[in-house]
Amino acid sequence: MLTVLMIISILLIIIVLLQSGKAESGNIITGGNADLFMNRKERGGELFITRLTYVLGIAFFVICIIMDM
């Protein structure tokens, strides 16, 4: 189970690093988040990476909770 957790955590790190920046660095520093909650349609690879991030994140937390019991 520990091996699966390590694999999921490494994949999660890689997938998060592959995501295109949804907030530019200038907005992070200056606090300008006017378009942070804009409706943006994700298509193709970007949608797949977002969904894969959700799945890996949920799997990570579920395995952590199972291992804690």
Side-chain angles (χ1 to χ4, degrees):
M1 199 64 137
L2 186 61
T3 306
V4 175
L5 184 65
M6 291 298 291
I7 291 171
I8 288 177
S9 62
I10 290 170
L11 287 175
L12 190 59
I13 290 169
I14 291 170
I15 291 296
V16 167
L17 290 175
L18 284 177
Q19 286 184 352
S20 62
K22 294 184 180 176
E24 287 85 27
S25 60
N27 286 343
I28 293 172
I29 294 171
T30 61
N33 58 356
D35 54 319
L36 181 63
F37 296 106
M38 271 181 38
N39 279 340
R40 289 182 25 187
K41 287 279 190 180
E42 295 178 336
R43 292 187 168 96
E46 189 175 308
L47 180 62
F48 174 74
I49 289 177
T50 301
R51 288 183 179 168
L52 184 61
T53 304
Y54 289 145
V55 169
L56 287 174
I58 291 169
F60 179 81
F61 283 111
V62 168
I63 290 175
C64 285
I65 289 172
I66 290 173
M67 286 181 62
D68 192 40
M69 291 181 171

